[in-house]
């Protein structure tokens, strides 16, 4: 048998966000998220596997494994067989282990009418993963005999992948003269009773987008701002119930897609977080005051100039000579420690809203709704994420906590505002 | 469609209770649909925790070979009259008990682990006493001290493992040290003079109590605690 010729593998560096996600990686924690499409018909796993095999070569930034160099992790093309579609399970978004499952950092699942894609955050952000999922769904529907064009964000899998899709866009835009950093106050931690190892409680709420948009408009806010405000109000109420003597600010980490602000075609990470917050020590806030606070915070801070200053600071940090020369294990340890001590402490939870999932009109009748799950958090608390498709807004709370009080208050608030909510969950009753 | 009477949210036809508030779904017109597939799979995937077996095996092999080699050398070649290899074998056994069981049995409670560790120390000291022909000092002095120390450490581990504040932990550790030193003096006195006249250990114990009282006061008074936290925060 002839030995397959060893090609020189084209490795590449992790981007700024990926570095953080891989450094804080542990045996029982990884930054994983999942996007699912609920189709109108039962999923055909064989057609789905064929679609995956055809689609993945078009997305080289997802066909990688992560390796540890002496100083930094790096990505290397993964030529192992797979990834293989698997039957879905009750506890999604399990941590990855870099040496298991042939080193794959993406996973595909099916359950009934649901097709799910799980991605390790070091590979790509939500926008990149949704491009992969949209293209995969188009190829899958073609396998099922439908004619789907390469329009509306579906990539042409017969074309070679352009290099711009694999660029580290942070690097390109780290050109600001000023470096702006964090140094935020500690926020209320919103933790609860942890569930046993590898349990992820998922609760989803489904609501009509037009009613939600109308409610948000009633407060002069966007849907993201409005839902962030509802979430902050729910967490404020929880802190109040705990009866602390001194209350801490409630702050959200809201990732912002940078592509609309800094043109880039990258499918890798290109996000920053903003931090809307409410400090209850300043006094009582009515709900409309919270909405207005969140609205103005977002409008004030999501500016090209300010975000560029933060990007520059983050990239410069990674170019720091001391940090560069520290061996990788030491770096991981110190980054994990500083993340534990500083990184997740300024936030009460994460709320991410990739917004609408557009598809070409030919695909629309085959998809019923979209779903998103943020995997487990570093500490026992629930994360929130939402995605809309057509007129269905889907909001997910996922976490490794037993308590349901934040999501209960959140959805009850929406119901009180006249928005009908349907709730589904994987919790045991 | 069923709604939660408590939250006002619509429930899945397969839901037996509201996922938000656990109120049972009772709808006489539409009982829970058990035929429909639930919205999420019920199959749980168990992830195997990373196995430390290889490391445990490697450590066992290392300790074992060191012990066997020294034992053979001792028996046949070097100073066969004195069982010097017992020191090495005992050290290897003690290290093995300290390191290997926690790797293999990850669910072992902390207090059992600490108890085992103390027993290992006891066994090691016993092996030394065999070489020095000192079974009497072993039984009279070393064993009681090791057992007392082991018991105190076990109790401390049991109390601290359920997550105490730094102040409480420091207070308890100081108390444990004081107690241990008093135990040492008791056994030393009994061994040397067969009477118990508490002396130096009472001084140490008094110092420990003097250290503990302010800590307990600070722990009890929220205002003081806040002050300390502010000044000593990291
Ligand atoms: Zn309810």
């Amino acid at each position: 048998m002839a030995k397959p010729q060893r090609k020189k593998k084209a490795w590449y560096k992790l981007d700024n966000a990926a570095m953080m996600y891989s450094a804080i990686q542990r045996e029982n924690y990884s930054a994983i998220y999942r996007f699912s499409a609920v189709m109108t018909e039962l999923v055909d796993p064989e057609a789905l596997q064929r679609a995956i095999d055809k689609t993945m070569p078009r997305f080289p930034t997802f066909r990688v494994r992560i390796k540890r160099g002496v100083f930094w992790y790096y990505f290397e093309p993964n030529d192992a067989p797979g990834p293989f579609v698997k039957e879905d399970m009750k506890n999604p978004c399990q941590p990855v282990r870099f040496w298991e499952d042939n080193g794959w950092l993406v996973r595909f699942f099916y359950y009934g009418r649901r097709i799910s894609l799980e991605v390790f955050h070091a590979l790509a952000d939500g926008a990149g993963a949704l491009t992969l999922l949209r293209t995969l769904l188009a190829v899958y529907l073609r396998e099922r005999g439908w004619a789907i064009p390469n329009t509306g964000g579906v990539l042409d899998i017969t074309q070679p992948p352009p290099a711009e899709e694999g660029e580290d866009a942070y690097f390109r835009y780290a050109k600001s003269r000023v470096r702006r950093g964090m140094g935020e106050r500690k926020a209320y931690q919103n933790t609860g009773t942890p569930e046993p190892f590898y349990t992820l409680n998922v609760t989803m709420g489904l609501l009509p987008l037009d009613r939600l948009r109308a409610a948000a408009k009633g407060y002069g806010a966007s849907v993201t701002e409005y839902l962030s405000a509802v979430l902050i109000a729910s967490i404020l109420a929880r802190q109040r119930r705990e009866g602390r003597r001194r209350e801490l600010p409630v702050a959200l980490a809201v990732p912002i897609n940078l592509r609309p602000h800094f043109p880039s075609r990258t499918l890798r990470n290109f996000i920053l977080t903003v931090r809307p917050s409410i400090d209850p020590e300043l006094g009582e806030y009515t709900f409309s005051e919270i909405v207005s606070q969140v609205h103005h915070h977002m409008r004030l801070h999501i500016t090209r100039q300010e975000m560029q200053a933060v990007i520059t600071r983050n990239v410069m940090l990674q170019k720091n000579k001391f940090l560069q020369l520290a061996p990788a294990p030491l770096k991981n340890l110190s980054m994990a420690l500083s993340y534990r001590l500083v990184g997740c402490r300024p936030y009460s939870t994460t709320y991410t809203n990739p917004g609408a999932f557009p598809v070409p009109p030919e695909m629309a009748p085959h998809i019923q709704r979209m779903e998103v799950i943020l995997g487990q958090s570093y500490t026992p608390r629930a994360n929130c994420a939402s995605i809309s498709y057509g007129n269905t807004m889907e909001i997910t709370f996922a976490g490794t906590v037993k308590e349901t009080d934040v999501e209960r208050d959140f959805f009850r608030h929406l119901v009180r505002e006249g928005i009908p909510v349907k709730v589904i969950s994987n919790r045991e009753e | 469609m069923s709604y939660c009477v408590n939250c006002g949210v619509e429930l899945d036809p397969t839901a037996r209770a509201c996922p938000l508030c656990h109120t049972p779904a009772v709808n006489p017109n539409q009982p829970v649909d058990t035929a429909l597939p639930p919205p999420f799979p019920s199959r749980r995937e168990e992830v195997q925790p990373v196995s430390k077996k290889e490391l445990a095996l490697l450590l066992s092999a290392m300790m074992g070979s060191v012990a066997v080699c020294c034992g053979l050398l001792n028996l046949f070649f070097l100073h066969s009259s004195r069982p010097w290899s017992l020191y090495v074998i005992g050290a290897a056994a003690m290290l093995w008990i300290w390191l290997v069981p926690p790797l293999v049995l990850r669910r072992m409670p902390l207090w059992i682990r600490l108890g085992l560790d103390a027993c290992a120390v006891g066994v090691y000291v016993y092996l030394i006493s065999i070489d020095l022909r000192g079974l009497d000092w072993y039984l009279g002095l070393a064993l009681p001290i090791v057992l007392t120390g082991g018991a105190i450490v076990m109790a401390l581990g049991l109390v601290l493992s359920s997550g105490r504040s730094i102040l409480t932990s420091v207070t308890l550790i100081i108390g444990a040290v004081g107690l241990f030193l008093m135990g040492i003096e008791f056994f030393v006195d009994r061994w040397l003079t067969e009477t118990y006249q508490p002396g130096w250990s009472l001084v140490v114990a008094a110092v420990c109590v003097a250290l503990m009282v302010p800590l307990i006061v600070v722990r009890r008074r929220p205002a003081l605690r806040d002050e300390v936290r502010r000044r000593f925060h990291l």
Side-chain angles (χ1 to χ4, degrees):
Chain A
M1 209 173 86
K3 242 183 169 177
Q5 206 188 336
R6 274 184 76 89
K7 273 185 303 182
K8 222 178 169 182
K9 287 189 171 180
W11 66 279
Y12 61 94
K13 290 184 191 173
L14 275 66
D15 59 64
N16 193 263
M19 246 163 223
M20 216 267 292
Y21 293 124
S22 50
I24 61 175
Q25 156 85 19
R26 280 185 317 179
E27 188 199 320
N28 55 1
Y29 169 79
S30 329
I32 293 264
Y33 57 85
R34 161 189 282 226
F35 285 111
S36 311
V38 177
M39 313 300 283
T40 47
E41 280 174 38
L42 285 180
V43 176
D44 172 359
E46 275 147 37
L48 182 58
Q49 184 62 54
R50 288 198 299 276
I52 292 168
D53 295 340
K54 286 184 181 171
T55 311
M56 284 303 281
R58 177 65 183 75
F59 292 87
T61 52
F62 290 87
R63 293 200 68 210
V64 292
R65 59 170 95 222
I66 195 164
K67 293 270 193 139
R68 178 180 286 175
V70 176
F71 294 115
W72 298 103
Y73 282 108
Y74 60 95
F75 286 127
E76 189 183 86
N78 190 350
D79 299 323
F84 297 112
V85 59
K86 287 177 224 148
E87 216 176 312
D88 207 354
M89 59 191 132
K90 185 181 164 68
N91 39 343
C93 294
Q94 298 198 334
V96 288
R97 289 167 182 168
F98 296 158
W99 62 94
E100 280 182 11
D101 194 22
N102 274 333
W104 288 110
L105 304 171
V106 285
R107 308 171 181 142
F108 298 92
F109 298 97
Y110 72 96
Y111 171 73
R113 295 181 289 126
R114 183 187 286 128
I115 295 173
S116 303
L117 160 70
E118 285 183 5
V119 180
F120 180 42
H121 213 321
L123 292 188
D125 58 14
L130 282 172
T131 308
L132 168 63
L133 183 58
R134 187 184 302 114
T135 306
L136 174 72
L137 291 175
V139 178
Y140 168 73
L141 288 170
R142 276 180 214 142
E143 288 290 320
R144 300 280 293 157
W146 306 95
I148 309 291
N150 288 319
T151 54
V154 173
L155 299 186
D156 186 350
I157 56 163
T158 58
Q159 297 290 319
E164 306 98 83
E165 287 178 5
E167 81 159 336
D168 181 349
Y170 289 110
F171 210 74
R172 172 144 65 105
Y173 288 105
K175 297 272 191 302
S176 171
R177 271 174 297 165
V178 183
R179 298 170 200 174
R180 185 64 71 80
M182 308 196 300
E184 304 280 10
R185 277 181 66 194
K186 182 187 175 186
Y188 171 60
Q189 286 302 289
N190 189 30
T191 50
T193 319
E195 288 274 11
F197 210 41
Y198 291 124
T199 304
L200 189 72
N201 288 323
V202 179
T203 305
M204 292 183 178
L206 306 167
L207 33 142
L209 184 63
D210 50 353
R211 302 278 285 273
L212 180 65
R213 203 173 269 149
K217 212 169 174 197
Y219 292 95
S222 74
V223 167
T224 307
E225 291 158 3
Y226 174 74
L227 290 176
S228 305
V230 178
L231 184 55
I232 288 179
S234 310
I235 300 175
L236 279 172
R238 179 174 200 242
Q239 182 171 220
R240 183 57 51 85
R241 279 195 299 275
E242 280 179 7
R244 301 168 64 100
R245 217 170 38 81
R246 172 163 295 177
E247 297 192 331
L248 290 165
V250 168
L252 304 183
V254 182
I256 299 295
N257 181 8
L258 293 176
R259 292 170 187 80
H261 307 273
F262 303 97
S264 170
R265 285 175 64 194
T266 186
L267 293 177
R268 291 166 67 189
N269 282 300
F270 199 34
I271 45 170
L272 272 189
T273 51
V274 287
R275 181 180 178 269
S277 70
I278 294 287
D279 186 355
E281 288 289 301
L282 295 178
E284 291 298 315
Y285 282 79
T286 64
F287 179 64
S288 60
E289 281 167 349
I290 297 177
V291 181
S292 143
Q293 178 85 13
V294 173
H295 169 78
H296 288 110
H297 181 95
M298 304 267 241
R299 297 294 153 108
L300 185 63
H301 291 291
I302 304 179
T303 60
R304 213 161 39 81
Q305 294 78 0
E306 202 168 309
M307 290 194 291
Q308 193 158 11
V310 178
I311 296 174
T312 311
R313 172 210 174 250
N314 290 349
V315 170
M316 285 308 154
L317 216 64
Q318 123 196 14
K319 280 184 172 170
N320 178 304
K321 278 280 167 291
F322 281 110
L323 200 61
Q324 269 183 335
L325 288 177
L330 201 71
K331 208 145 30 197
N332 292 341
L333 193 74
S334 67
M335 267 165 100
L337 255 175
S338 66
Y339 183 76
R340 259 187 102 97
L341 293 175
V342 188
C344 65
R345 292 227 307 182
Y347 304 109
S348 305
T349 190
T350 305
Y351 168 58
T352 176
N353 181 18
F357 181 67
V359 294
E362 291 83 353
M363 267 170 81
H366 304 288
I367 303 174
Q368 193 191 10
R369 67 160 188 268
M370 295 298 295
E371 296 171 351
V372 54
I373 300 176
L374 275 189
Q376 68 175 81
S377 165
Y378 210 67
T379 49
R381 65 182 176 206
N383 286 322
C384 185
S386 64
I387 189 169
S388 73
Y389 174 77
N391 195 34
T392 307
M393 182 71 166
E394 189 276 321
I395 305 172
T396 305
F397 284 86
T400 49
V401 277
K402 291 203 163 70
E403 289 82 5
T404 58
D405 46 354
V406 173
E407 48 261 52
R408 190 185 64 216
D409 283 12
F410 182 92
F411 289 127
R412 279 181 185 175
H413 186 112
L414 295 179
V415 169
R416 272 203 308 279
E417 298 235 357
I419 306 166
V421 180
K422 180 180 179 180
V423 171
I424 53 177
S425 172
N426 75 342
R427 283 178 185 264
E428 318 255 330
E429 282 139 23
Chain B
M1 314 189 257
S2 295
Y3 285 81
C4 172
V5 290
N6 210 8
C7 307
V9 296
E10 187 188 334
L11 302 177
D12 195 71
T14 62
R16 273 188 292 274
C18 169
L20 300 176
C21 68
H22 313 298
T23 306
V26 183
N27 185 346
N29 299 328
Q30 197 199 44
V32 175
D33 195 334
T34 49
L36 221 62
F40 294 95
S42 45
R43 185 181 66 94
R44 242 186 93 91
E45 189 125 306
E46 295 302 334
V47 181
Q48 292 305 316
V50 172
S51 169
K52 300 267 172 73
K53 271 208 185 101
E54 282 85 17
L55 187 59
L57 214 66
L58 185 75
L59 280 172
S60 308
M62 267 169 57
M63 313 269 184
S65 57
V66 166
V68 168
C69 287
C70 287
L72 290 177
L73 267 178
N74 190 191
L75 269 181
F76 299 114
F77 303 107
L78 279 168
H79 308 285
S80 339
S81 52
R82 269 192 80 188
W84 57 268
S85 65
L86 285 181
Y87 291 99
V88 183
I89 294 173
M94 189 169 69
L95 279 176
W96 189 88
I97 291 177
W98 283 2
L99 299 175
V100 174
L103 286 178
V104 184
L105 310 165
R106 57 174 62 226
R107 293 204 175 273
M108 186 163 59
L110 185 67
W111 63 274
I112 292 190
R113 216 182 117 183
L114 291 172
L116 264 180
D117 293 351
C119 289
V121 176
V123 170
Y124 187 43
V125 179
Y126 174 66
L127 291 180
I128 293 174
S129 76
I130 289 180
D131 178 49
L132 301 176
R133 298 196 168 73
L135 200 62
D136 45 346
W137 67 253
Y138 175 73
L139 287 178
L141 187 63
L143 191 63
I145 289 180
V146 168
L147 285 181
T148 316
I152 288 176
V153 169
M154 246 163 89
L156 210 57
L158 201 61
V159 174
L160 294 185
S161 62
S162 50
R164 305 282 160 166
S165 73
I166 295 177
L167 270 177
T168 316
S169 315
V170 171
T171 313
L172 286 172
I173 289 171
I174 292 176
V177 168
L179 212 62
F180 180 59
L181 291 177
M182 278 175 71
I184 287 186
E185 182 167 43
F186 173 72
F187 291 121
V188 170
D189 276 7
R190 231 193 43 179
W191 169 251
L192 290 177
T193 63
E194 299 205 332
T195 53
Y196 177 48
Q197 284 159 335
W200 57 268
S201 73
L202 275 190
V203 179
V204 178
V207 170
C208 287
V209 169
L211 284 172
M212 282 163 75
V213 167
L215 286 176
I216 292 170
V217 172
V218 167
R219 173 86 190 82
R220 295 266 153 191
R221 306 283 305 198
L224 268 174
R225 204 172 63 214
D226 231 41
E227 182 70 25
V228 169
R229 197 170 287 159
R230 187 151 58 103
R231 303 220 173 207
F232 291 93
H233 79 274
L234 290 171

